[in-house]
Each structure stands twice: as C-alpha cells, then as structure tokens.
Amino acid sequence: MRYEIQGETLPVVICQLEAGERMITEGGGMAWMSPNMLMETTTNGGIGKAFGRMFTGEKMFQNIYTAQGGEGMIAFASSFPGSVEAFEIGPGQEMILQKSAFLAGEAGVDMSVFFNKKFSSGLFGGEGFIMQKVSGRGMVFAEFDGHVINYELQTGQQIVVDTGHLAAMSATCSMEIQSVPGVKNMLFGGEGIFNTVITGPGKVWLQTMPISNVAGVLRPYLPSSGS
C-alpha cells in the first residue's frame, strides 16, 4: 500500500492499493475511491470488540474495503480542521491515541480500548479515562485537532502538557496527572487545576488546538436553541 497525505486545514490521505489489499475505516470515513473497491460492513472481531470501539469514540461497525481485479484507490478525509498523521504499527510499535482519532488503517491493524492506569488521569487529565490502543501490523492514519508537534522522550524524560493537547503517544510512555502548584495559580492562572505529565521512553504527538477549544471559538456564532 502506498499513500499520500494532501491538504492542510482539512487534509485527506489517498491510498493506492495492490490487488487484494484491504483498508479498514469506520462508517462515513471513505471520501472517494475507484470503482473496483469492494466494501464489506463488519463488527471486525465480534460484538465484544465492537462495543470496545464504541467506548473509544468510534462506531460499533467498521467498513473493510478490498481492491478487486487490480490496483485500487481510496481516500479518507478528516472530519474536522486539523492534521492527519501516519503511524507504522508493529511489534513494540503500539500506539495510544486520543478518543475518536482513528481514521483508517490496513487490515492487519487491531484497535482496542486503553484504560489509563491511574484513574485520576482519566478524570482530570482532559484526555479521558478511555483512549484507543492500536496494535497488530500495518499503517494507521489518525486525525488530530489543529497542527501536530512531536517529541521523542528518553527514559525518564518528561513533558508537561496542558489539558486536551495530548494527541498520541508510544505505548512505552506513561501518563499521569500533576496538580498546578499554588492555590493562586490554580484559581487565577487560567491554565486549569491539573496538567498531564508524559514520561518516556517513547514519542509524543501534541495537538495545537483540542476540539473542545474549537467548539468554544465557534459557540458564539452558532444559533441558539431559542432562536
């Protein structure tokens, strides 16, 4: 499978498949494709995995697209302004993604529920108690909010992230919550009460504008229920 990510504010990933190659996406993820792409809707692993995907912000059913009779083309577009990132998944290369980040992936990729080890991370960290874990083997495409900046952390090296800006991290990284020091800082600093602390080794992908911030910007321009 060959791919190319095009566009900036509203990106799309265009995949070129060899005959018989397959791609997985949730319902509504396909933007356009060649006529020889066959679609099959499935729970992709049974009802248990389907419910697990639902808890990570995805739909219960997935669509599998197969190139038939020759090369095929299929494109997956981002559903909101932001970035599409490509990750190569394999043994020792598992990824943790924010909820609803999964856009599409090769058929050898498996998506499951990831629970933060520390319950407080889910309650206060802004990334949610439930995230997505991607394992197996193949390419995965994920959509994030705004632009994405990545860092590589050495063993024990840390980065402090404001609420909601964590997009993805290597499964080798750990995540916990750290309260902002000082009551005055908590109440008047404007940065919230908690920060997310990521500890290496591994890579971290940070998004510049979480979707909650986007909603806040757009809210004054949206019609109210009373109008």
Side-chain angles (χ1 to χ4, degrees), residues 1 17 34-35 38 45 50 75 102 115 122-123 159-160 173 189 204 213:
M1 188 270 292
L17 308 184
S34 58
L38 175 69
F102 177 79
F115 293 95
L123 291 179
I159 187 168
V160 181
C173 292
V204 178
N213 291 1

Side-chain angles (χ1 to χ4, degrees), residues 32-112:
W32 60 82
M33 63 183 183
S34 58
N36 67 322
M37 296 298 298
L38 175 69
M39 185 187 81
E40 176 189 5
T41 301
T42 173
T43 58
N44 196 21
I47 196 68
K49 281 198 173 182
F51 274 109
R53 287 192 300 269
M54 182 181 67
F55 284 120
T56 68
E58 305 292 341
K59 297 179 181 178
M60 290 183 63
F61 292 90
Q62 292 185 320
N63 293 334
I64 300 178
Y65 292 88
T66 306
Q68 289 196 319
E71 294 184 354
M73 179 273 295
I74 186 167
F76 305 97
S78 176
S79 57
F80 48 80
S83 307
V84 171
E85 295 287 325
F87 301 101
E88 185 172 358
I89 306 299
Q93 296 176 292
E94 294 82 6
M95 292 291 303
I96 307 299
L97 309 177
Q98 69 171 359
K99 289 180 65 174
S100 305
F102 177 79
L103 179 61
E106 291 188 274
V109 165
D110 181 59
M111 187 175 68
S112 58

Side-chain angles (χ1 to χ4, degrees), residues 129-145:
F129 180 53
I130 299 175
M131 300 177 74
Q132 299 177 339
K133 181 175 183 178
V134 185
S135 56
R137 188 182 293 275
M139 295 299 301
V140 164
F141 304 102
E143 52 182 339
F144 301 127
D145 313 320

